[in-house]
Amino acid sequence: MRSSHPRSAAVAALVASALATGLLAGTAGAAEGAASADPTRIHDIQGTTRISPLVGKQVTDVEGVVTGVRTYGSRGFWIQDPDTDDNEATSEGVFVFTSTVPTVAVGDAVKVSGLVGEYVPGGASSGNQSVTQISKPVVTVVSSGNALPEATAVNEYTVPAEYAPAGDPAAAGSINGLTLEPARYALDYYEALEGMNVKIGTSRVVGATDPYAELWVTVKGWENTAKRGGTLYGSYESQNTGRLQIQQLAPLAQQPFPVANVGDKLVGVTEGPMDFNQFGGYTLVARTLGTVKAGTLAPEKTKAQAANELAVATYNVENLDPSDPQEKFDNLAKAVVENLASPDVVALEEIQDDNGAKNDGTVSAEATLTKFTAAIVAAGGPAYQWRTVNPENNKDGGEPGGNIRQVFLFNPARVSFTERAPGDAATATGVTTENGKAALTHSPGRVDPANPAWADSRKPLAGEFVFRGKTVFVIANHFGSKGGDEGLASVHQPPVRSSEAKRLLQAQAVNGFVKEILAVDKKAAVLALGDINDFEFSGTTQALEDGGALYAAVKSLPKAERYSYVYQGNAQVLDQILTSPSIKQFTYDSVHINAEFSAQNSDHDPQVVRFRP
């Protein structure tokens, strides 16, 4: 890759001197070999596509200066050739995989002999792009303490606005064989920097520090900015090309990783090799890390419902079970009371059974719910009652042995639950007529549990509630996860989103059930809500809305406020509340208390709707 900066004169002189004296060879006859053939350079290994033209071949005496050393995980080091070519598509850096702790140091001038390969983080089934590397290396250190090649600046002026080229249809949508166009596509731009020393300046944090010591920034401060500082994911075509994952080279035991929330700033210069990570794609592995300048972001508090308004919420409480620390119960309870203003009905997702992930056949969640509702009372909230249907053991997906399920909490001082022959895990609730109005055959009951769409997935929970004499049907959902989908930086473009097929069938099943209710009473008040695990613009949401049976209420918000989850620096909608046509006027709130923060009680933000039935 042609550098935008002049190479270090000292390093150039070092390489020239070493070649002249034969010191870089490490074997007899090196000078004669250098004279008879041009040496292999790093840009020869990298080539102009994602796959090295030398893959599977041995290379000898590849020159470079060490720009980063990784002593944990995938152990090895990066080298960069200061003697650049004139091609923007060819990287001048490469990773050397040692498998053991490397014995080189940053600033060492080295020659490396070894096997060129393409390593796919996560394996081929992940759909991830590969990392070009040299393995089984023989390394000769020529000298130490040398100046590093000037870092390439990554910023809003250098990263293209278009995310990725379309994959080759003849290669199952792969972009591997396409010639890189780094001036046109962001993924090509980052790939052309693979293994090179890069740097960013002060950048906005768009993904909070996670438990794995990673955070996300954007080098494009203006790109799809959310109201509270994140970066919105608003369509499949807008991938936010300025997002970049940040890790650090130093082990955490030696250097703590900075704690940052969305909207904070990573101030100063962050510099290090460009890597490709299994969980996020292109990653700046920082040798020098900027400092965090904290912003003013605080958890939101929604408005309390009026006396004549029904408030209904959905909240994924992330595998809650009695073995969790009391602090988690207390924090979740405080959020229900203070941040959600004690909704009249709360649909919970991911309530685990009474012994959590212990796989012994236990399916009851009485202990979990007793502990949680007691914590809500202790936080000053109402004495919620609950209704649920216990699942069959290990039939609803999630953590093995955990038996997650949906649960209704309701405040009996404000709303009543209509009990109708409670169903069991395998019994479907249906729709009947009572006094000319729609009614459920089982309340609480499960929606179409035998449908193959719900195999190894959470079955919807339906119930009837009465508020000020009006019946409201609530369907609590937790659709199939996105696990198994390829990442945005996949080798296939567009990425393969295989999980969508199941959610589409699930959405069609729920939509059909709502239509059954509306066929009996077109003015029935129906809410379908929960962790839908899909975007407001997705085919899943369109299937839920089909025929006007439901409306995704999150779309009533300004676009800058439409998100409930932050993933790889993209603020996006996963949790939703959908309303039937009779609910014409409502107030909707995505209450941001978790997803933007490094300290989370759940990875989801709860949603609340308030309306007059």
Side-chain angles (χ1 to χ4, degrees), residues 167 247 255:
Q247 296 177 335
Q255 178 179 316

mmCIF file with all atom_site columns, all heavy atoms in Angstrom, residues 167 247 255:
data_model
loop_
_atom_site.group_PDB
_atom_site.id
_atom_site.type_symbol
_atom_site.label_atom_id
_atom_site.label_alt_id
_atom_site.label_comp_id
_atom_site.label_asym_id
_atom_site.label_entity_id
_atom_site.label_seq_id
_atom_site.pdbx_PDB_ins_code
_atom_site.Cartn_x
_atom_site.Cartn_y
_atom_site.Cartn_z
_atom_site.occupancy
_atom_site.B_iso_or_equiv
_atom_site.pdbx_formal_charge
_atom_site.auth_seq_id
_atom_site.auth_comp_id
_atom_site.auth_asym_id
_atom_site.auth_atom_id
_atom_site.pdbx_PDB_model_num
ATOM 1  N N   . GLY A 1 167 ? -21.264 -9.272  -3.242 1.00 0.00 ? 167 GLY A N   1
ATOM 2  C CA  . GLY A 1 167 ? -20.509 -10.504 -3.419 1.00 0.00 ? 167 GLY A CA  1
ATOM 3  C C   . GLY A 1 167 ? -20.698 -11.109 -4.796 1.00 0.00 ? 167 GLY A C   1
ATOM 4  O O   . GLY A 1 167 ? -21.679 -10.833 -5.499 1.00 0.00 ? 167 GLY A O   1
ATOM 5  N N   . GLN A 1 247 ? -9.612  -2.643  20.846 1.00 0.00 ? 247 GLN A N   1
ATOM 6  C CA  . GLN A 1 247 ? -9.082  -3.496  21.904 1.00 0.00 ? 247 GLN A CA  1
ATOM 7  C C   . GLN A 1 247 ? -7.716  -2.931  22.292 1.00 0.00 ? 247 GLN A C   1
ATOM 8  O O   . GLN A 1 247 ? -7.296  -1.901  21.789 1.00 0.00 ? 247 GLN A O   1
ATOM 9  C CB  . GLN A 1 247 ? -8.940  -4.947  21.422 1.00 0.00 ? 247 GLN A CB  1
ATOM 10 C CG  . GLN A 1 247 ? -10.237 -5.621  21.058 1.00 0.00 ? 247 GLN A CG  1
ATOM 11 C CD  . GLN A 1 247 ? -10.010 -7.030  20.525 1.00 0.00 ? 247 GLN A CD  1
ATOM 12 O OE1 . GLN A 1 247 ? -8.945  -7.360  19.996 1.00 0.00 ? 247 GLN A OE1 1
ATOM 13 N NE2 . GLN A 1 247 ? -11.017 -7.876  20.660 1.00 0.00 ? 247 GLN A NE2 1
ATOM 14 N N   . GLN A 1 255 ? -2.569  -3.758  32.338 1.00 0.00 ? 255 GLN A N   1
ATOM 15 C CA  . GLN A 1 255 ? -3.121  -2.430  32.063 1.00 0.00 ? 255 GLN A CA  1
ATOM 16 C C   . GLN A 1 255 ? -4.644  -2.513  31.980 1.00 0.00 ? 255 GLN A C   1
ATOM 17 O O   . GLN A 1 255 ? -5.173  -3.133  31.067 1.00 0.00 ? 255 GLN A O   1
ATOM 18 C CB  . GLN A 1 255 ? -2.558  -1.894  30.736 1.00 0.00 ? 255 GLN A CB  1
ATOM 19 C CG  . GLN A 1 255 ? -3.113  -0.539  30.330 1.00 0.00 ? 255 GLN A CG  1
ATOM 20 C CD  . GLN A 1 255 ? -2.491  -0.062  29.033 1.00 0.00 ? 255 GLN A CD  1
ATOM 21 O OE1 . GLN A 1 255 ? -1.294  -0.168  28.831 1.00 0.00 ? 255 GLN A OE1 1
ATOM 22 N NE2 . GLN A 1 255 ? -3.327  0.466   28.138 1.00 0.00 ? 255 GLN A NE2 1
#
